[in-house]
Amino acid sequence: QSQELSQVQIDYHAALQALVEDGTRMVCTGRMHTDRICRFESLCYSTEAEEFVYFHSNSSVMLPNLGSRRFQPALLDLSSVEDHNTQYFNFVELPAAALKFMPKPVFVPDVALIANRFNPDNLMHVFHDDLLPIYYTMQQFSDLDLEARLFFMEGWGEGVHFDLYKLLSNKQPLLREQLKTLGRLLCFTKSYVGLSKITTWYQYGFVQPQGPKANILVSGNEIRQFTKFMMQKLNVSLEESSSEEYIVVFSRTINRLILNEAELILALAQEFQMKTITVSLEEHSFSDIVRLISNASMLVSMHGAQLVMSLFLPRGATVVELFPYAINPEHYTPYKTLATLPGMDLQYIAWQNTNKEDTVTYPDRPWDQGGIAHLDKAEQDRIIKSTEVPRHLCCRNPEWLFRAYQDTKVNIPSLIHVIRQTVKSKPGPKKQKWSGSLYPGKVRDAKCQASVQGTSEAKLAVSWQIPWNLRYLKVREVKYEVWIQEQGENTYMPYILSHQNHTFSENIKPFTIYLVWIRCIFNKNLLGPFADVLLCST
Ligand code: UDP
């Protein structure tokens, strides 16, 4: 591995001299530790201290220069999980002169992206917390290209999905443990530290019960750009022409089982008149699973990390998530949120087992597999009698784990019934025409003209021009929304209009100033911006 780093020849003495003279330079984006990514030149890492080191010299730069606020609580989050106290990044400071007394630095010539993986053994976490954020962090900074090298500092081993991380760059990612073999003091010539959170859609319940993030900023388009990249790297081609439609049942083989899987597959095949196949992470290669899912009409699976693979479903497909007894589907929605992101164009259906006879519990297993034998008897009884797991925080709630690791005999008629409520004929993928949602611009040249009739009546004639971008678009329906507000009042009268002018006479008083707000609306729900407010005096 150490040979790999020296592939790019660097002039060692020049590099060392530059480090001593220039020290470390850091410029960051973001206002808070939770939205910060920092770019460094000559950031170092002591593999003995397991600390990053910032060297001060005459030319060093540290922006933001937070003083001791750098420790309140940290400079930045090293993973994409927000403000998690095991994922903080900071460095220790030294004068560059101290380098004289330190181990000889080993320079890392590759542009580095330094980050933490959050839970590399769980496929949902791999995609949501690591792969998508890494991919889009690399898109954000142009020198993080395919020749960049990823450094994972969380301290875990490769994990079962390491091959996926390798797809993101042409260089082998390095783990914290491996840095020791490279040297005692590593200096990254150029590095970025931290991950963009812009693509994440779910919070796991560390401070409030789990649920969709408050302000989701990603759409299906960006998700699909990412999956297209991954499929290219996996050598999975999108088979546009493949005609046969089929359903995929994604099964788990170790726990949270579907007990009547054969019956389920037959029932789905018969109901929808489609071939129905099973896949599992244990029995199929990752590429095979991606290939199968990327052409499927429907994906059926127990709640669980494997459902993140619906990332790869084609537009128009249906996701059916099965929940064990006493687990309220509304409380665990990472896959529902994914499927219903704007532009993902997937149909989402949740089914829950509501029959106690159809569930198999495992009270005697270890606690992390849902066992409850370690709890006192009263608590065990309460859990066994309970019909719904109350909302809870992550990650060790025994009642949640007990219910999450049940096996389920799926009640076929009830499942078919809920699917049929949404999927009326054959399930997707439909060759949908592009329903790209483009928003109108501002209306232009808005004008008003007032006329007064007598002492109590007045009229307000308002006109405007179409938004500039409309002339280049085919839009099914164009409407205008006009708000008329008397100056100084909090309320306004709203109107929806089809034409570019209208004379208002209702409730218009003479010798009054009105504020007129106008915006364009495409296809009922694509609301444009308001034009500059018009001041109209009657
Ligand atoms: N897993 C699997 N088959 C199983 C059990 C688990 O493939 O029978 C995978 C699962 O998809 C996830 C990882 O193993 O990637 C950890 O599973 P766990 O039950 O801990 O997490 P969950 O699926 O509930 O998120």
Side-chain angles (χ1 to χ4, degrees):
Q1 222 104 55
S2 56
Q3 272 158 352
E4 258 187 273
L5 282 183
S6 54
Q7 273 171 0
V8 179
Q9 284 302 316
I10 51 166
D11 180 341
Y12 185 83
H13 289 285
L16 184 59
Q17 195 178 352
L19 173 60
V20 174
E21 281 172 14
D22 299 342
T24 305
R25 298 140 167 286
M26 172 188 99
V27 182
C28 307
T29 64
R31 301 178 64 238
M32 314 247 291
H33 73 280
T34 51
D35 62 3
R36 190 166 288 140
I37 297 175
C38 293
R39 179 184 191 279
F40 287 89
E41 285 168 38
S42 301
L43 172 68
C44 298
Y45 180 77
S46 162
T47 56
E48 291 162 332
E50 300 196 315
E51 297 251 36
F52 285 92
V53 189
Y54 177 105
F55 286 106
H56 283 269
S57 83
N58 292 333
S59 309
S60 51
V61 174
M62 192 190 292
L63 277 177
N65 201 320
L66 292 166
S68 69
R69 284 170 294 163
R70 185 157 71 74
F71 311 114
Q72 294 166 2
L75 180 61
L76 56 81
D77 292 338
L78 213 35
S79 85
S80 73
V81 174
E82 179 128 332
D83 197 31
H84 195 288
N85 60 12
T86 62
Q87 308 290 324
Y88 289 152
F89 170 84
N90 240 316
F91 47 73
V92 293
E93 295 165 274
L94 282 174
L99 278 161
K100 280 201 288 276
F101 311 103
M102 297 182 71
K104 289 197 92 183
V106 172
F107 290 97
V108 177
D110 315 309
V111 180
L113 174 57
I114 299 169
N116 277 4
R117 298 176 300 168
F118 189 72
N119 182 352
D121 286 339
N122 179 300
L123 200 57
M124 164 66 184
H125 288 282
V126 168
F127 275 98
H128 177 268
D129 310 342
D130 306 341
L131 298 175
L132 270 158
I134 292 168
Y135 179 77
Y136 278 108
T137 304
M138 293 175 74
Q139 300 279 305
Q140 185 172 349
F141 302 103
S142 61
D143 44 0
L144 285 175
D145 55 19
L146 288 174
E147 299 312 311
R149 192 187 294 271
L150 304 174
F151 288 82
F152 297 135
M153 301 305 294
E154 76 288 335
W156 293 41
E158 288 190 350
V160 284
H161 302 293
F162 199 62
D163 285 346
L164 296 177
Y165 294 90
K166 287 193 202 167
L167 302 176
L168 295 172
S169 115
N170 295 335
K171 304 228 162 91
Q172 170 85 5
L174 293 177
L175 306 174
R176 190 174 79 193
E177 276 309 299
Q178 295 171 305
L179 300 186
K180 294 198 167 74
T181 67
L182 302 178
R184 295 163 70 195
L185 184 64
L186 299 184
C187 290
F188 299 90
T189 311
K190 197 190 272 184
S191 60
Y192 292 82
V193 181
L195 288 180
S196 168
K197 299 180 172 72
I198 204 158
T199 59
T200 57
W201 64 83
Y202 208 70
Q203 61 83 13
Y204 297 119
F206 296 109
V207 283
Q208 50 170 323
Q210 64 173 276
K213 280 203 340 184
N215 188 12
I216 293 177
L217 301 172
V218 69
S219 84
N221 175 55
E222 291 71 38
I223 301 279
R224 290 211 151 84
Q225 299 292 340
F226 162 80
T227 49
K228 192 163 83 183
F229 170 87
M230 294 296 280
M231 287 172 68
Q232 275 162 5
K233 290 285 173 185
L234 287 164
N235 263 322
V236 176
S237 58
L238 260 180
E239 292 161 49
E240 298 284 351
S241 56
S242 79
S243 52
E244 209 194 354
E245 300 185 57
Y246 56 90
I247 297 170
V248 174
V249 174
F250 204 143
S251 65
R252 296 171 59 111
T253 60
I254 304 164
N255 53 41
R256 204 177 302 152
L257 307 179
I258 298 170
L259 294 170
N260 54 339
E261 211 167 272
E263 189 192 355
L264 170 67
I265 287 161
L266 279 174
L268 290 168
Q270 185 155 25
E271 176 68 24
F272 296 101
Q273 290 296 301
M274 278 189 190
K275 193 168 93 179
T276 302
I277 56 173
T278 356
V279 299
S280 70
L281 287 171
E282 291 83 7
E283 289 154 332
H284 294 78
S285 75
F286 195 82
S287 314
D288 284 346
I289 296 175
V290 170
R291 185 173 299 113
L292 290 167
I293 288 183
S294 66
N295 270 305
S297 298
M298 189 189 289
L299 176 63
V300 181
S301 177
M302 278 314 239
H303 171 74
Q306 68 287 344
L307 260 172
V308 77
M309 296 302 283
S310 42
L311 280 168
F312 292 96
L313 281 169
R315 290 179 194 277
T318 303
V319 179
V320 182
E321 181 169 11
L322 312 175
F323 288 85
Y325 181 78
I327 296 184
N328 184 338
E330 289 301 311
H331 298 177
Y332 309 92
T333 56
Y335 314 109
K336 177 187 183 179
T337 308
L338 168 61
T340 56
L341 286 178
M344 266 316 274
D345 299 338
L346 297 175
Q347 290 195 300
Y348 175 85
I349 297 165
W351 174 87
Q352 186 192 358
N353 174 22
T354 51
N355 289 337
K356 209 164 190 169
E357 314 83 74
D358 290 341
T359 199
V360 175
T361 61
Y362 294 96
D364 298 324
R365 284 186 177 170
W367 72 268
D368 58 343
Q369 293 166 39
I372 51 171
H374 61 291
L375 302 175
D376 68 46
K377 194 76 183 74
E379 181 63 357
Q380 291 184 34
D381 285 349
R382 186 195 65 73
I383 291 175
I384 287 167
K385 285 204 194 90
S386 164
T387 58
E388 181 172 317
V389 179
R391 283 198 192 264
H392 55 89
L393 295 180
C394 193
C395 314
R396 297 187 168 203
N397 182 290
E399 183 171 356
W400 151 247
L401 293 171
F402 175 69
R403 292 304 183 183
Y405 286 110
Q406 297 170 109
D407 297 340
T408 303
K409 180 172 156 257
V410 174
N411 182 305
I412 305 289
S414 111
L415 173 63
I416 298 289
H417 178 73
V418 287
I419 300 178
R420 275 302 184 197
Q421 286 179 331
T422 304
V423 179
K424 294 294 182 212
S425 53
K426 279 207 157 189
K430 290 168 201 72
K431 291 282 170 270
Q432 287 184 325
K433 63 171 187 292
W434 187 63
S435 59
S437 40
L438 301 187
Y439 290 84
K442 289 181 192 172
V443 302
R444 293 147 62 88
D445 302 324
K447 293 188 180 74
C448 57
Q449 195 154 29
S451 55
V452 176
Q453 280 119 4
T455 51
S456 61
E457 277 177 44
K459 285 184 178 167
L460 211 49
V462 183
S463 67
W464 57 90
Q465 299 299 315
I466 62 167
W468 174 81
N469 61 342
L470 177 53
R471 70 173 73 195
Y472 302 104
L473 296 172
K474 273 211 176 77
V475 180
R476 194 163 19 90
E477 183 198 83
V478 180
K479 289 264 164 87
Y480 297 94
E481 182 166 10
V482 179
W483 294 357
I484 301 199
Q485 179 186 22
E486 190 179 324
Q487 191 172 47
E489 298 291 323
N490 288 326
T491 59
Y492 56 85
M493 295 173 291
Y495 299 85
I496 299 282
L497 305 168
S498 303
H499 299 101
Q500 286 151 248
N501 56 63
H502 190 79
T503 301
F504 300 89
S505 50
E506 257 179 87
N507 301 316
I508 303 290
K509 297 183 282 191
F511 316 113
T512 309
I513 299 177
Y514 290 97
L515 308 185
V516 178
W517 307 84
I518 312 168
R519 68 175 164 191
C520 182
I521 302 175
F522 289 170
N523 303 338
K524 303 224 192 298
N525 52 16
L526 299 169
L527 309 181
F530 281 105
D532 291 346
V533 63
L534 267 185
L535 273 182
C536 310
S537 317
T538 55

Short mmCIF file of all heavy atoms in Angstrom, two decimals, residues 275-320:
data_model
loop_
_atom_site.label_atom_id
_atom_site.label_comp_id
_atom_site.label_asym_id
_atom_site.label_seq_id
_atom_site.Cartn_x
_atom_site.Cartn_y
_atom_site.Cartn_z
N LYS A 275 -44.01 -12.95 -13.90
CA LYS A 275 -42.95 -13.75 -13.29
C LYS A 275 -42.56 -13.10 -11.97
O LYS A 275 -42.50 -11.87 -11.87
CB LYS A 275 -41.75 -13.78 -14.25
CG LYS A 275 -40.72 -14.81 -13.87
CD LYS A 275 -39.72 -15.00 -15.00
CE LYS A 275 -38.52 -14.09 -14.77
NZ LYS A 275 -37.50 -14.25 -15.81
N THR A 276 -42.33 -13.91 -10.96
CA THR A 276 -41.93 -13.36 -9.66
C THR A 276 -40.69 -14.09 -9.17
O THR A 276 -40.65 -15.32 -9.13
CB THR A 276 -43.09 -13.49 -8.65
OG1 THR A 276 -44.23 -12.81 -9.18
CG2 THR A 276 -42.73 -12.88 -7.31
N ILE A 277 -39.65 -13.32 -8.85
CA ILE A 277 -38.38 -13.96 -8.47
C ILE A 277 -37.96 -13.46 -7.09
O ILE A 277 -38.39 -12.41 -6.64
CB ILE A 277 -37.27 -13.63 -9.49
CG1 ILE A 277 -37.13 -12.11 -9.63
CG2 ILE A 277 -37.56 -14.25 -10.84
CD1 ILE A 277 -35.96 -11.70 -10.47
N THR A 278 -37.12 -14.25 -6.41
CA THR A 278 -36.59 -13.83 -5.11
C THR A 278 -35.11 -13.53 -5.23
O THR A 278 -34.39 -14.22 -5.94
CB THR A 278 -36.64 -14.95 -4.05
OG1 THR A 278 -37.27 -16.06 -4.60
CG2 THR A 278 -37.30 -14.50 -2.79
N VAL A 279 -34.67 -12.52 -4.51
CA VAL A 279 -33.23 -12.26 -4.38
C VAL A 279 -32.93 -12.06 -2.89
O VAL A 279 -33.82 -11.73 -2.11
CB VAL A 279 -32.77 -11.01 -5.16
CG1 VAL A 279 -33.03 -11.17 -6.65
CG2 VAL A 279 -33.42 -9.74 -4.64
N SER A 280 -31.68 -12.27 -2.52
CA SER A 280 -31.25 -11.91 -1.17
C SER A 280 -29.78 -11.52 -1.22
O SER A 280 -29.05 -11.92 -2.14
CB SER A 280 -31.44 -13.09 -0.21
OG SER A 280 -30.50 -14.11 -0.50
N LEU A 281 -29.37 -10.73 -0.25
CA LEU A 281 -27.97 -10.30 -0.20
C LEU A 281 -27.05 -11.48 0.01
O LEU A 281 -25.89 -11.45 -0.39
CB LEU A 281 -27.78 -9.27 0.93
CG LEU A 281 -28.35 -7.87 0.66
CD1 LEU A 281 -28.30 -7.02 1.91
CD2 LEU A 281 -27.58 -7.20 -0.48
N GLU A 282 -27.58 -12.53 0.65
CA GLU A 282 -26.75 -13.69 0.94
C GLU A 282 -26.53 -14.55 -0.29
O GLU A 282 -25.51 -15.23 -0.41
CB GLU A 282 -27.38 -14.55 2.05
CG GLU A 282 -27.39 -13.89 3.44
CD GLU A 282 -28.55 -12.93 3.65
OE1 GLU A 282 -29.45 -12.86 2.78
OE2 GLU A 282 -28.56 -12.23 4.68
N GLU A 283 -27.52 -14.56 -1.21
CA GLU A 283 -27.46 -15.53 -2.31
C GLU A 283 -27.19 -14.92 -3.68
O GLU A 283 -27.05 -15.67 -4.65
CB GLU A 283 -28.77 -16.33 -2.35
CG GLU A 283 -28.86 -17.29 -1.18
CD GLU A 283 -30.30 -17.61 -0.81
OE1 GLU A 283 -31.18 -16.76 -1.05
OE2 GLU A 283 -30.54 -18.69 -0.30
N HIS A 284 -27.16 -13.60 -3.76
CA HIS A 284 -26.92 -12.98 -5.07
C HIS A 284 -25.80 -11.97 -4.98
O HIS A 284 -25.61 -11.33 -3.95
CB HIS A 284 -28.19 -12.27 -5.57
CG HIS A 284 -29.31 -13.21 -5.87
ND1 HIS A 284 -30.09 -13.77 -4.89
CD2 HIS A 284 -29.77 -13.69 -7.05
CE1 HIS A 284 -30.99 -14.57 -5.46
NE2 HIS A 284 -30.81 -14.53 -6.76
N SER A 285 -25.11 -11.81 -6.10
CA SER A 285 -24.08 -10.77 -6.14
C SER A 285 -24.79 -9.42 -6.20
O SER A 285 -25.94 -9.33 -6.63
CB SER A 285 -23.19 -10.94 -7.37
OG SER A 285 -23.89 -10.50 -8.51
N PHE A 286 -24.06 -8.41 -5.78
CA PHE A 286 -24.65 -7.09 -5.77
C PHE A 286 -25.06 -6.66 -7.18
O PHE A 286 -26.15 -6.14 -7.39
CB PHE A 286 -23.68 -6.09 -5.15
CG PHE A 286 -24.35 -4.82 -4.79
CD1 PHE A 286 -25.07 -4.71 -3.62
CD2 PHE A 286 -24.31 -3.75 -5.67
CE1 PHE A 286 -25.75 -3.55 -3.32
CE2 PHE A 286 -24.97 -2.58 -5.37
CZ PHE A 286 -25.69 -2.48 -4.19
N SER A 287 -24.19 -6.92 -8.16
CA SER A 287 -24.52 -6.52 -9.54
C SER A 287 -25.77 -7.23 -10.03
O SER A 287 -26.59 -6.64 -10.73
CB SER A 287 -23.39 -6.88 -10.50
OG SER A 287 -22.19 -6.50 -9.99
N ASP A 288 -25.91 -8.51 -9.68
CA ASP A 288 -27.11 -9.24 -10.12
C ASP A 288 -28.37 -8.62 -9.52
O ASP A 288 -29.39 -8.49 -10.19
CB ASP A 288 -27.01 -10.72 -9.74
CG ASP A 288 -26.08 -11.47 -10.66
OD1 ASP A 288 -25.74 -10.91 -11.72
OD2 ASP A 288 -25.68 -12.60 -10.32
N ILE A 289 -28.28 -8.25 -8.25
CA ILE A 289 -29.44 -7.64 -7.61
C ILE A 289 -29.78 -6.32 -8.30
O ILE A 289 -30.94 -6.05 -8.61
CB ILE A 289 -29.18 -7.43 -6.10
CG1 ILE A 289 -29.00 -8.79 -5.41
CG2 ILE A 289 -30.33 -6.67 -5.46
CD1 ILE A 289 -28.62 -8.69 -3.95
N VAL A 290 -28.76 -5.52 -8.57
CA VAL A 290 -29.01 -4.24 -9.23
C VAL A 290 -29.62 -4.47 -10.61
O VAL A 290 -30.59 -3.81 -11.00
CB VAL A 290 -27.71 -3.41 -9.34
CG1 VAL A 290 -27.92 -2.20 -10.24
CG2 VAL A 290 -27.25 -2.97 -7.96
N ARG A 291 -29.08 -5.43 -11.34
CA ARG A 291 -29.59 -5.73 -12.68
C ARG A 291 -31.06 -6.11 -12.61
O ARG A 291 -31.89 -5.60 -13.37
CB ARG A 291 -28.77 -6.87 -13.30
CG ARG A 291 -29.12 -7.18 -14.74
CD ARG A 291 -28.16 -8.20 -15.36
NE ARG A 291 -26.78 -7.70 -15.38
CZ ARG A 291 -25.78 -8.20 -14.67
NH1 ARG A 291 -25.99 -9.24 -13.87
NH2 ARG A 291 -24.57 -7.68 -14.73
N LEU A 292 -31.40 -6.97 -11.67
CA LEU A 292 -32.78 -7.43 -11.56
C LEU A 292 -33.71 -6.31 -11.10
O LEU A 292 -34.79 -6.11 -11.66
CB LEU A 292 -32.86 -8.63 -10.59
CG LEU A 292 -32.23 -9.91 -11.15
CD1 LEU A 292 -32.05 -10.96 -10.07
CD2 LEU A 292 -33.09 -10.46 -12.30
N ILE A 293 -33.28 -5.55 -10.11
CA ILE A 293 -34.16 -4.51 -9.57
C ILE A 293 -34.35 -3.38 -10.58
O ILE A 293 -35.43 -2.81 -10.70
CB ILE A 293 -33.61 -4.00 -8.23
CG1 ILE A 293 -33.84 -5.08 -7.17
CG2 ILE A 293 -34.28 -2.69 -7.81
CD1 ILE A 293 -33.42 -4.71 -5.78
N SER A 294 -33.31 -3.10 -11.36
CA SER A 294 -33.40 -1.94 -12.24
C SER A 294 -34.37 -2.16 -13.40
O SER A 294 -34.64 -1.23 -14.15
CB SER A 294 -32.01 -1.57 -12.77
OG SER A 294 -31.53 -2.60 -13.59
N ASN A 295 -34.87 -3.36 -13.54
CA ASN A 295 -35.87 -3.62 -14.58
C ASN A 295 -37.19 -4.15 -14.02
O ASN A 295 -38.05 -4.58 -14.79
CB ASN A 295 -35.33 -4.64 -15.59
CG ASN A 295 -34.60 -3.94 -16.71
OD1 ASN A 295 -35.17 -3.07 -17.36
ND2 ASN A 295 -33.36 -4.30 -16.91
N ALA A 296 -37.32 -4.12 -12.70
CA ALA A 296 -38.50 -4.74 -12.09
C ALA A 296 -39.69 -3.80 -12.11
O ALA A 296 -39.56 -2.58 -12.12
CB ALA A 296 -38.17 -5.14 -10.65
N SER A 297 -40.87 -4.40 -12.09
CA SER A 297 -42.10 -3.61 -12.00
C SER A 297 -42.49 -3.38 -10.55
O SER A 297 -43.16 -2.40 -10.24
CB SER A 297 -43.25 -4.34 -12.70
OG SER A 297 -42.95 -4.50 -14.05
N MET A 298 -42.11 -4.33 -9.69
CA MET A 298 -42.50 -4.21 -8.29
C MET A 298 -41.42 -4.86 -7.42
O MET A 298 -40.84 -5.86 -7.81
CB MET A 298 -43.85 -4.92 -8.07
CG MET A 298 -44.46 -4.68 -6.71
SD MET A 298 -45.90 -5.72 -6.37
CE MET A 298 -47.12 -5.05 -7.44
N LEU A 299 -41.15 -4.21 -6.27
CA LEU A 299 -40.20 -4.76 -5.31
C LEU A 299 -40.94 -4.97 -4.00
O LEU A 299 -41.53 -4.03 -3.46
CB LEU A 299 -39.04 -3.78 -5.11
CG LEU A 299 -37.97 -4.13 -4.08
CD1 LEU A 299 -37.23 -5.42 -4.47
CD2 LEU A 299 -36.97 -2.99 -3.92
N VAL A 300 -40.92 -6.21 -3.52
CA VAL A 300 -41.64 -6.55 -2.28
C VAL A 300 -40.61 -7.01 -1.26
O VAL A 300 -39.78 -7.87 -1.57
CB VAL A 300 -42.67 -7.68 -2.54
CG1 VAL A 300 -43.43 -8.01 -1.26
CG2 VAL A 300 -43.63 -7.29 -3.66
N SER A 301 -40.63 -6.43 -0.06
CA SER A 301 -39.64 -6.83 0.93
C SER A 301 -40.09 -6.49 2.34
O SER A 301 -40.86 -5.54 2.54
CB SER A 301 -38.30 -6.14 0.66
OG SER A 301 -37.36 -6.48 1.66
N MET A 302 -39.60 -7.25 3.30
CA MET A 302 -39.76 -6.87 4.69
C MET A 302 -39.04 -5.53 4.91
O MET A 302 -38.05 -5.23 4.23
CB MET A 302 -39.07 -7.89 5.62
CG MET A 302 -39.86 -9.11 5.93
SD MET A 302 -41.53 -8.72 6.37
CE MET A 302 -41.77 -9.29 7.90
N HIS A 303 -39.54 -4.74 5.85
CA HIS A 303 -38.83 -3.54 6.29
C HIS A 303 -37.39 -3.93 6.61
O HIS A 303 -37.14 -4.94 7.26
CB HIS A 303 -39.52 -2.98 7.53
CG HIS A 303 -38.76 -1.87 8.18
ND1 HIS A 303 -38.69 -0.61 7.64
CD2 HIS A 303 -38.02 -1.83 9.31
CE1 HIS A 303 -37.94 0.16 8.41
NE2 HIS A 303 -37.52 -0.56 9.44
N GLY A 304 -36.45 -3.15 6.16
CA GLY A 304 -35.04 -3.47 6.43
C GLY A 304 -34.14 -2.83 5.40
O GLY A 304 -34.59 -2.38 4.34
N ALA A 305 -32.85 -2.83 5.73
CA ALA A 305 -31.88 -2.07 4.96
C ALA A 305 -31.84 -2.44 3.48
O ALA A 305 -31.54 -1.60 2.63
CB ALA A 305 -30.49 -2.24 5.57
N GLN A 306 -32.17 -3.72 3.17
CA GLN A 306 -32.13 -4.13 1.76
C GLN A 306 -33.09 -3.32 0.91
O GLN A 306 -32.91 -3.22 -0.30
CB GLN A 306 -32.38 -5.64 1.64
CG GLN A 306 -33.78 -6.11 1.99
CD GLN A 306 -34.09 -6.09 3.48
OE1 GLN A 306 -33.19 -6.02 4.32
NE2 GLN A 306 -35.37 -6.13 3.82
N LEU A 307 -34.09 -2.70 1.54
CA LEU A 307 -35.06 -1.92 0.76
C LEU A 307 -34.48 -0.64 0.19
O LEU A 307 -35.09 -0.01 -0.68
CB LEU A 307 -36.29 -1.60 1.62
CG LEU A 307 -37.50 -2.50 1.38
CD1 LEU A 307 -38.57 -2.22 2.41
CD2 LEU A 307 -38.06 -2.29 -0.02
N VAL A 308 -33.29 -0.25 0.63
CA VAL A 308 -32.67 0.93 0.04
C VAL A 308 -32.37 0.67 -1.43
O VAL A 308 -32.18 1.60 -2.21
CB VAL A 308 -31.39 1.34 0.81
CG1 VAL A 308 -30.21 0.43 0.47
CG2 VAL A 308 -31.04 2.79 0.51
N MET A 309 -32.38 -0.61 -1.82
CA MET A 309 -32.14 -0.94 -3.23
C MET A 309 -33.24 -0.42 -4.14
O MET A 309 -33.09 -0.45 -5.36
CB MET A 309 -31.97 -2.46 -3.39
CG MET A 309 -30.75 -3.01 -2.67
SD MET A 309 -29.23 -2.23 -3.22
CE MET A 309 -29.02 -3.08 -4.77
N SER A 310 -34.33 0.06 -3.56
CA SER A 310 -35.35 0.68 -4.43
C SER A 310 -34.81 1.94 -5.10
O SER A 310 -35.42 2.46 -6.03
CB SER A 310 -36.67 0.94 -3.69
OG SER A 310 -36.47 1.44 -2.42
N LEU A 311 -33.66 2.42 -4.65
CA LEU A 311 -32.90 3.44 -5.40
C LEU A 311 -32.76 3.07 -6.87
O LEU A 311 -32.72 3.95 -7.74
CB LEU A 311 -31.47 3.50 -4.85
CG LEU A 311 -31.12 4.24 -3.58
CD1 LEU A 311 -29.71 3.86 -3.18
CD2 LEU A 311 -31.22 5.72 -3.83
N PHE A 312 -32.64 1.77 -7.13
CA PHE A 312 -32.33 1.31 -8.48
C PHE A 312 -33.57 0.96 -9.29
O PHE A 312 -33.46 0.57 -10.45
CB PHE A 312 -31.39 0.09 -8.42
CG PHE A 312 -30.02 0.43 -7.91
CD1 PHE A 312 -29.70 0.26 -6.57
CD2 PHE A 312 -29.05 0.94 -8.76
CE1 PHE A 312 -28.43 0.59 -6.08
CE2 PHE A 312 -27.78 1.26 -8.30
CZ PHE A 312 -27.47 1.10 -6.96
N LEU A 313 -34.75 1.05 -8.69
CA LEU A 313 -35.97 0.71 -9.44
C LEU A 313 -36.19 1.70 -10.58
O LEU A 313 -35.84 2.87 -10.47
CB LEU A 313 -37.18 0.76 -8.50
CG LEU A 313 -37.41 -0.44 -7.59
CD1 LEU A 313 -38.48 -0.10 -6.56
CD2 LEU A 313 -37.81 -1.68 -8.39
N PRO A 314 -36.81 1.24 -11.67
CA PRO A 314 -37.13 2.19 -12.75
C PRO A 314 -38.32 3.06 -12.35
O PRO A 314 -39.12 2.66 -11.49
CB PRO A 314 -37.50 1.26 -13.91
CG PRO A 314 -38.00 0.02 -13.27
CD PRO A 314 -37.23 -0.13 -11.98
N ARG A 315 -38.42 4.23 -12.96
CA ARG A 315 -39.59 5.09 -12.72
C ARG A 315 -40.87 4.31 -12.97
O ARG A 315 -40.93 3.48 -13.87
CB ARG A 315 -39.57 6.27 -13.70
CG ARG A 315 -38.49 7.27 -13.44
CD ARG A 315 -38.56 8.37 -14.50
NE ARG A 315 -37.35 9.17 -14.48
CZ ARG A 315 -37.14 10.18 -13.64
NH1 ARG A 315 -38.07 10.52 -12.77
NH2 ARG A 315 -36.01 10.85 -13.67
N GLY A 316 -41.86 4.58 -12.16
CA GLY A 316 -43.16 3.94 -12.35
C GLY A 316 -43.32 2.64 -11.58
O GLY A 316 -44.42 2.12 -11.48
N ALA A 317 -42.22 2.11 -11.05
CA ALA A 317 -42.31 0.84 -10.33
C ALA A 317 -42.95 1.04 -8.95
O ALA A 317 -43.10 2.16 -8.47
CB ALA A 317 -40.93 0.21 -10.19
N THR A 318 -43.30 -0.08 -8.33
CA THR A 318 -44.00 -0.05 -7.05
C THR A 318 -43.13 -0.70 -5.97
O THR A 318 -42.52 -1.74 -6.21
CB THR A 318 -45.33 -0.83 -7.16
OG1 THR A 318 -46.10 -0.25 -8.21
CG2 THR A 318 -46.11 -0.79 -5.86
N VAL A 319 -43.06 -0.05 -4.80
CA VAL A 319 -42.34 -0.60 -3.65
C VAL A 319 -43.39 -1.07 -2.64
O VAL A 319 -44.27 -0.30 -2.26
CB VAL A 319 -41.46 0.47 -2.98
CG1 VAL A 319 -40.73 -0.11 -1.77
CG2 VAL A 319 -40.49 1.08 -3.97
N VAL A 320 -43.30 -2.33 -2.23
CA VAL A 320 -44.21 -2.84 -1.21
C VAL A 320 -43.37 -3.23 0.01
O VAL A 320 -42.55 -4.14 -0.05
CB VAL A 320 -45.01 -4.06 -1.71
CG1 VAL A 320 -45.98 -4.54 -0.63
CG2 VAL A 320 -45.77 -3.71 -2.99
#
